[in-house]
Amino acid sequence: MEKQQKGFVQYIVQGSLVTQIIIGLIAGILLAWLLPSTAQSADLLGSLFVSALKAVAPVLVWILVMSSIANHKKGQKTSIRPILLLYLIGTFGAAVVAVIGSTLFPSTLILVTNDAKISPPDNIVEVMRGILLNVVVNPIDAILKGNYVGILAWSIGLGIALRHAKESTKSLVQDLAEAVTQIVRVVIRLAPIGIFGLVASTIATTGFEALLGYARLLAVLLGCMIIVALVVNPLIVYWTIRRNPYPLVFACLRESGVTAFFTRSSAANIPVNMAMCRRMNLNEDTYSVSIPLGATINMAGAAVTITVLTLAAVNTLDMTVGLPTAILLSVVAVIGACGSSGVAGGSLLLIPLACSIFGISNEIAMQVVAVGFIIGVLQDSAETGLNSSTDVLFTAAVCQAEDARLNADQLAQR
């Protein structure tokens, strides 16, 4: 009996996290199906897990980025620029796919009123202004509110300043980063329990009845995201690593996308992505910066959401969309997606910005936002899964391409 208990504990601590998450997922569905009243109370487990992720993520980003820059040695390659390029290409490609998908399968909306008081940005200038203001906020306020633009700005600044500090100070910062990482690993191991609670409570409370009225719109949204995940992203990765991209694509979707699907927060999924990069033996100097940066600006799923819902509103109002306008919409979707917050439903607030291109009033645009919240059970989950898994995918692709190039150079020198 004692050996069986030890074996069970060892499996919980060291077993396959993906397998455990699948078990938690199935258990959550069964509980919601068989005991819906009990399943609703399981929301506490999901809320605790998501809250724990959101609590550790800002501290993790701040400490790891600062430590990575402070302890960076001259001559070390970080490959941040190529990753940024892939982020932009991937997000723009997602917007283009959304335009094509909405053109081939046009959707219309039953516009509803929305009483929620939401203040979306009015134009691109306001989005950029918000980003710049987030850069210069108080660092404690940035950590408390999960403002990752501000956290990145302060961690990069402190990291650069600490490069001139004593070695003992740098060592202390490194030890602090290791300590935070250990805490994060404990939180991640709780993912199966958290996802069990999230799935059980969501299905028991919401169900899928609200989605039936918008099945076509949801199908276009999910279809575009699937095409981005399984066609556009693999093409970008193949262009980067010059070999079959699908093993890496599926690994990222399985290990990062599944967790992000249920947490519905790119920011909360940062610790999961960090852990995956560590298991893949990627360059820590690279992923400690690119992963939190990706959670802020790499928003392919958000670009799809903004574009598809905006064009659905355009179709509802019988407006025509020419090629120049479609290109402009794609650019605006990219800028808006980069400015969306890394929390559940963050991309929906940028829809009025895209609608303004077509002269759609803010009142109508806010009704489109309301529709987005109605289908958000699946839309936002799929969007976050695509966003977050792509952060790891592009980071891994660039790191692997860099390693392959270095190995080729070493062989050539022999």
Side-chain angles (χ1 to χ4, degrees), residues 8-189:
F8 178 74
V9 172
Q10 186 176 11
Y11 173 74
I12 294 298
V13 175
Q14 301 178 356
S16 170
L17 186 62
V18 175
T19 302
Q20 293 176 9
I21 287 175
I22 293 174
I23 293 173
L25 171 63
I26 295 173
I29 294 173
L30 290 175
L31 181 63
W33 179 38
L34 299 174
L35 299 170
S37 59
T38 304
Q40 291 183 16
S41 61
D43 177 61
L44 176 61
L45 296 175
S47 298
L48 286 174
F49 173 62
V50 174
S51 297
L53 281 174
K54 290 182 177 180
V56 299
V59 179
L60 177 71
V61 171
W62 179 49
I63 297 296
L64 279 188
V65 173
M66 180 175 64
S67 175
S68 176
I69 295 175
N71 290 280
H72 178 73
K73 301 293 189 300
K74 290 184 178 180
Q76 288 181 332
K77 295 285 290 183
T78 57
S79 305
I80 294 299
R81 288 182 181 177
I83 296 174
L84 284 175
L85 178 62
L86 294 192
Y87 285 169
L88 291 175
I89 293 175
T91 305
F92 182 76
V96 172
V97 168
V99 170
I100 295 173
S102 297
T103 303
L104 295 177
F105 305 98
S107 304
T108 56
L109 305 175
I110 301 174
L111 297 179
V112 296
T113 58
N114 181 36
D115 297 328
K117 295 181 179 180
I118 304 175
S119 299
D122 294 325
N123 49 54
I124 297 176
V125 174
E126 187 173 338
V127 173
M128 300 306 297
R129 180 177 180 272
I131 293 174
L132 292 176
L133 288 177
N134 284 335
V135 170
V136 296
V137 298
N138 181 283
I140 304 300
D141 182 71
I143 293 175
L144 290 176
K145 294 182 178 179
N147 171 13
Y148 286 88
V149 175
I151 292 171
L152 281 172
W154 276 97
S155 57
I156 291 172
L158 288 172
I160 293 173
L162 286 172
R163 293 187 66 176
H164 305 287
K166 296 179 181 179
E167 289 301 321
S168 58
T169 304
K170 294 180 181 179
S171 178
L172 175 63
V173 174
Q174 182 65 35
D175 291 341
L176 187 59
E178 290 293 332
V180 174
T181 301
Q182 290 295 332
I183 295 175
V184 169
R185 288 174 180 169
V186 174
V187 174
I188 291 175
R189 293 307 308 188

Side-chain angles (χ1 to χ4, degrees), residues 212-227:
L212 295 178
Y214 297 99
R216 183 182 179 86
L217 175 64
L218 192 59
V220 174
L221 274 167
L222 298 182
C224 289
M225 292 181 191
I226 290 172
I227 291 174

Side-chain angles (χ1 to χ4, degrees), residues 196-215:
F196 162 76
L198 287 169
V199 172
S201 60
T202 299
I203 294 179
T205 303
T206 308
F208 296 99
E209 291 82 0
L211 305 178
L212 295 178
Y214 297 99

Side-chain angles (χ1 to χ4, degrees), residues 325-354:
T325 309
I327 295 174
L328 177 60
L329 175 60
S330 299
V331 173
V332 170
V334 170
I335 297 174
C338 292
S340 65
S341 58
V343 298
S347 63
L348 297 177
L349 301 183
L350 278 301
I351 290 174
L353 169 60

Side-chain angles (χ1 to χ4, degrees), residues 226-399:
I226 290 172
I227 291 174
V228 172
L230 299 181
V231 179
V232 176
N233 284 351
L235 287 174
I236 295 174
V237 172
Y238 176 78
W239 173 67
T240 304
I241 64 178
R242 301 297 179 180
R243 65 173 186 272
N244 182 8
Y246 283 99
L248 181 60
V249 169
F250 290 139
C252 292
L253 288 173
R254 182 178 65 250
E255 298 189 33
S256 173
V258 169
T259 308
F261 183 91
F262 293 107
T263 61
R264 297 175 65 192
S265 171
S266 297
N269 210 50
I270 288 174
V272 178
N273 286 348
M274 291 281 201
M276 184 177 178
C277 289
R278 189 178 300 108
R279 290 195 303 273
M280 296 171 69
N281 295 318
L282 303 183
N283 184 351
E284 186 173 357
D285 288 333
T286 298
Y287 73 73
S288 63
V289 176
S290 67
I291 293 300
L293 192 62
T296 305
I297 68 170
N298 183 35
M299 296 288 179
V304 171
T305 296
I306 293 169
T307 304
V308 170
L309 284 173
T310 299
L311 289 178
V314 169
N315 291 331
T316 303
L317 299 174
D318 292 325
M319 303 173 71
T320 58
V321 180
L323 180 60
T325 309
I327 295 174
L328 177 60
L329 175 60
S330 299
V331 173
V332 170
V334 170
I335 297 174
C338 292
S340 65
S341 58
V343 298
S347 63
L348 297 177
L349 301 183
L350 278 301
I351 290 174
L353 169 60
C355 286
S356 66
I357 297 176
F358 302 94
I360 298 175
S361 68
N362 194 58
E363 180 181 354
I364 295 177
M366 293 313 301
Q367 295 179 27
V368 180
V369 173
V371 173
F373 280 112
I374 292 174
I375 64 174
V377 175
L378 285 181
Q379 168 269 322
D380 196 47
S381 295
E383 174 187 315
T384 309
L386 175 60
N387 290 342
S388 195
S389 62
T390 305
D391 297 344
V392 186
L393 178 65
F394 289 164
T395 297
V398 171
C399 287

